[in-house]
Amino acid sequence: MTETAPSARQPGVTRQRCARCVLSAPFPNIKFDVEGVCNFCRDEVGARSDDTAIDRGRARVMELFAARKARGATYDAVLCNSGGKDSSYTLKLAVEKYGLTVLSFTLDNGFVAPAARDNIHRIVDALGVDHITVRPALDVFKSVVRAASMLPIYGEQSLTRISAGCNACISLVNTTALRLALEKEIPFILAGFTLGQIPANGIVYRNHYRFLAESREASMSRLRDAVGLEVDRLYGVPDSVIDRAPTYPYNINLLCLESITETQILAEVGKLGWKRPSGLDGCSSNCMLNTFNNYVHERRHGYSPYELELSHLVRKDLMTRSEALEKLADQPLEQLPYLVKSLALSPEDLATLGLSADGQVAG
Amino acid sequence: MNANQVAERSRILEGLVTFVTRSFMVEASDIDMDKSLIDQGIIDSFGLMEITTFIENTFGAKIQEQDMTREAFGSMNKMATFVYRRKCGEI
Ligand SMILES: [Zn+2]
């Protein structure tokens, strides 16, 4: 059960990993049995309740779509389109399987791979979808990523499935999508998350912004202290926008309702012109910053932020264990110097992260 | 509350604890039942949405927009009481 393949980020380091999935010993509350299989793999009750939650999610989505009004001049859904394979396939599902009129939206965080941008354009063109890009002030965004990477901005428990840098970015995507939906009176927000990235009870939910904002206040306050009041412009929705909107939209993750392998997804989006960008880490098909975020997460928490998602796919037979291990190991660390320079990390931050002054992995 | 009502509320609390420990990778002993799960760092705002979905699905207690308050969701005990009262039509 000890994984002997060296970790890409910590050459020469071996670690205990579940013999069935890819969760490793530093993962919170993990226990291994005598066969080296983890408690998450052995949790049959959890797996059954996940299946029930998926069935309920599917029924709820069908009910919501069936009840939607003919929109006429506006959109049924705004889709958060990262340009990756999953959001591209979700867009295809929304348009072709569910017949929705979709507004595709990309948050350009300054690290979207050029090839991913080309993919976005090819896919929206092929599906005949309107598309907009929102680019936040990059100096503020980078300050947020720096703060999220170096300080305890987010609770430990919200970082079991996602790195702090990705969390900062996805929160911005979600808030921007919500603002668009409220402003344009769009009833659904779609995203390409898969099970493992989100839990089965998160497939469909009403986006009660004010309630959620209250629950985010502690992390927002830490972010404000670290970055400044500009974060409210990026991460807040003005009261006037909420008060004007007739109701809160639903967030729906359509991909969680499909049982589909990565190979099948790649074949489907490939038909629409999607091509895998080169030079990205094994767990991303759109964002260059992911390599840095993964590195930081592994450094701070001792495990990859993708272990939970990949383990889910392995358990569901949608990916082999060796494919998952390959993805975890595939990290283009040679890009770290460019990324840390772009983020303007201080010499102290670099030292804390075990990086040399020019951003190379030390030792 | 009579004995049956107390038992019913405990059953709800037990279901919530099982869900939270399984979903958010904590032990029951890590949870302070009288404090907000968010303040304890056990869940984030997305976790809160998961719990509301779980409550609706498992206990059949419909949650309205006006229910989304700290009074109803501010701790495990508050959630159990909220679900119990909603189920038996008290609120
Ligand atoms: Zn396992």
Side-chain angles (χ1 to χ4, degrees):
Chain A
M1 80 187 150
T2 299
E3 188 54 49
T4 47
S7 155
R9 289 176 216 92
Q10 294 165 288
V13 172
T14 57
R15 65 178 55 176
Q16 187 180 15
R17 243 185 232 288
C18 173
R20 196 172 151 209
C21 69
V22 294
L23 289 178
S24 60
F27 192 81
N29 279 33
I30 197 165
K31 289 174 202 83
F32 298 102
D33 64 17
V34 284
E35 289 166 42
V37 176
C38 78
N39 49 323
F40 298 95
C41 282
R42 295 289 190 212
D43 181 12
E44 282 164 19
V45 179
R48 266 204 309 279
S49 64
D50 270 6
D51 289 343
T52 313
I54 296 165
D55 288 343
R56 286 212 174 96
R58 181 177 291 109
R60 184 79 182 116
V61 169
M62 298 317 292
E63 190 183 290
L64 288 169
F65 285 173
R68 77 183 198 274
K69 298 188 182 68
R71 306 295 298 169
T74 183
Y75 302 100
D76 295 314
V78 56
L79 179 133
C80 306
N81 188 350
S82 71
K85 59 180 169 43
D86 291 341
S87 34
S88 300
Y89 184 67
T90 305
L91 182 56
K92 178 185 158 73
L93 284 175
V95 172
E96 293 183 349
K97 180 171 176 176
Y98 295 98
L100 303 178
T101 304
V102 181
L103 172 64
S104 158
F105 141 68
T106 297
L107 185 104
D108 180 356
N109 65 5
F111 295 92
V112 178
R117 212 166 296 154
D118 295 341
N119 276 331
I120 292 169
H121 294 161
R122 278 195 293 267
I123 297 285
V124 294
D125 289 350
L127 291 170
V129 165
D130 294 345
H131 175 78
I132 55 169
T133 300
V134 176
R135 186 167 163 112
L138 288 191
D139 56 341
V140 183
F141 175 74
K142 288 177 183 179
S143 300
V144 169
V145 172
R146 273 200 308 272
S149 302
M150 305 309 304
L151 303 168
I153 299 289
Y154 304 114
E156 287 289 300
Q157 292 300 331
S158 45
L159 299 178
T160 51
R161 302 168 187 275
I162 191 168
S163 64
C166 269
N167 199 38
C169 190
I170 289 192
S171 303
L172 185 52
V173 170
N174 288 340
T175 309
T176 311
L178 176 63
R179 199 184 305 143
L180 282 169
L182 291 169
E183 282 169 357
K184 296 180 187 297
E185 298 187 19
I186 301 174
F188 305 119
I189 298 172
L190 309 178
F193 292 118
T194 57
L195 284 172
Q197 285 177 329
I198 60 155
N201 278 291
I203 294 175
V204 46
Y205 63 93
R206 192 84 176 254
N207 199 320
H208 292 273
Y209 175 75
R210 282 200 173 113
F211 182 54
L212 294 178
E214 188 192 319
S215 66
R216 277 193 287 259
E217 190 41 39
S219 57
M220 276 302 285
S221 156
R222 291 192 285 269
L223 210 48
R224 242 174 251 128
D225 290 345
V227 176
L229 295 177
E230 299 95 316
V231 295
D232 287 307
R233 194 182 73 235
L234 265 63
Y235 289 91
V237 179
D239 281 341
S240 58
V241 173
I242 300 171
D243 293 337
R244 231 182 6 249
T247 176
Y248 288 124
Y250 284 90
N251 282 55
I252 298 176
N253 293 289
L254 290 176
L255 197 45
C256 299
L257 305 176
E258 304 290 314
S259 185
I260 186 166
T261 65
E262 185 183 87
T263 311
Q264 288 167 319
I265 289 177
L266 289 172
E268 287 299 321
V269 294
K271 287 182 208 158
L272 298 173
W274 193 92
K275 294 177 188 143
R276 182 180 273 288
S278 59
L280 297 172
D281 74 88
C283 298
S284 176
S285 52
N286 61 301
C287 180
M288 296 186 286
L289 195 55
N290 208 45
T291 302
F292 171 77
N293 292 334
N294 289 346
Y295 175 84
V296 172
H297 191 94
E298 188 132 351
R299 177 98 194 161
R300 279 173 63 174
H301 305 278
Y303 62 94
S304 161
Y306 285 91
E307 285 183 19
L308 198 62
E309 176 194 350
L310 293 172
S311 293
H312 175 85
L313 294 173
V314 171
R315 277 180 221 124
K316 290 277 169 196
D317 288 326
L318 295 172
M319 185 180 285
T320 66
R321 185 172 180 274
S322 57
E323 281 168 342
L325 287 173
E326 233 168 79
K327 281 181 180 295
L328 291 175
D330 181 11
Q331 300 297 319
L333 295 180
E334 68 281 3
Q335 292 177 13
L336 285 178
Y338 157 75
L339 295 170
V340 300
K341 187 164 178 238
S342 178
L343 288 171
L345 285 165
S346 70
E348 295 76 36
D349 289 346
L350 290 173
T352 306
L353 294 175
L355 297 171
S356 67
D358 61 354
Q360 312 270 6
V361 180
Chain B
M1 276 197 229
N2 65 34
N4 281 346
Q5 291 167 325
V6 171
E8 174 63 7
R9 189 193 163 282
S10 308
R11 201 186 57 81
I12 292 167
L13 182 62
E14 222 169 89
L16 282 168
V17 171
T18 306
F19 176 72
V20 167
T21 51
R22 183 172 283 133
S23 305
F24 306 108
M25 292 121 204
V26 285
E27 304 279 0
S29 56
D30 296 339
I31 307 172
D32 184 330
M33 300 294 164
D34 293 311
K35 274 197 188 148
S36 146
L37 293 177
I38 289 175
D39 295 347
Q40 293 179 69
I42 292 170
I43 61 166
D44 57 9
S45 55
F46 189 65
L48 202 51
M49 292 324 301
E50 283 172 61
I51 293 179
T52 58
T53 306
F54 169 79
I55 287 175
E56 289 197 325
N57 285 345
T58 310
F59 303 116
K62 214 72 209 113
I63 298 169
Q64 311 290 342
E65 202 166 320
Q66 57 272 22
D67 300 325
M68 309 284 277
T69 61
R70 247 180 132 73
E71 199 35 58
F73 288 88
S75 73
M76 293 293 277
N77 271 326
K78 282 181 178 172
M79 283 188 261
T81 302
F82 165 78
V83 174
Y84 171 76
R85 295 183 64 198
R86 174 57 46 89
K87 271 183 64 126
C88 65
E90 268 183 43
I91 49 171

